[in-house]
Amino acid sequence: MCAPGVAGAGGPTLQATRIQYGGSVNEGNCAALAQHSDVDGFLVGGASLDAEKFVQICNSSAVHYKAVGRL
């Protein structure tokens, strides 16, 4: 959800606003979530407690963001 002031601003303000997804991000869904054009990153919670899973999240999202020129 976007703050009303940002959503109504449009143009440069909306393009400059970064959206961090803070839902249930894990190694199984991060690649699909990264493909949403309005998601610029993740706020990783419990999945970050397992180093191997966290690395999978980082690598998976980085591959997609590089491919679409957002990293």
Side-chain angles (χ1 to χ4, degrees), residues 8-58:
T13 301
L14 190 55
Q15 292 299 317
T17 301
R18 300 290 169 238
I19 305 296
Q20 302 294 311
Y21 179 82
S24 296
V25 177
N26 60 52
E27 74 284 357
N29 66 11
C30 63
L33 291 169
Q35 292 180 18
H36 290 272
S37 63
D38 57 346
V39 174
D40 298 303
F42 303 129
L43 299 173
V44 182
S48 67
L49 299 175
D50 182 315
E52 289 181 19
K53 291 179 180 180
F54 187 64
V55 168
Q56 286 180 307
I57 293 169
C58 294

Side-chain angles (χ1 to χ4, degrees), residues 18 40 61-71:
R18 300 290 169 238
D40 298 303
S61 57
V63 165
H64 176 72
Y65 290 141
K66 284 180 184 177
V68 298
R70 294 189 330 196
L71 183 65

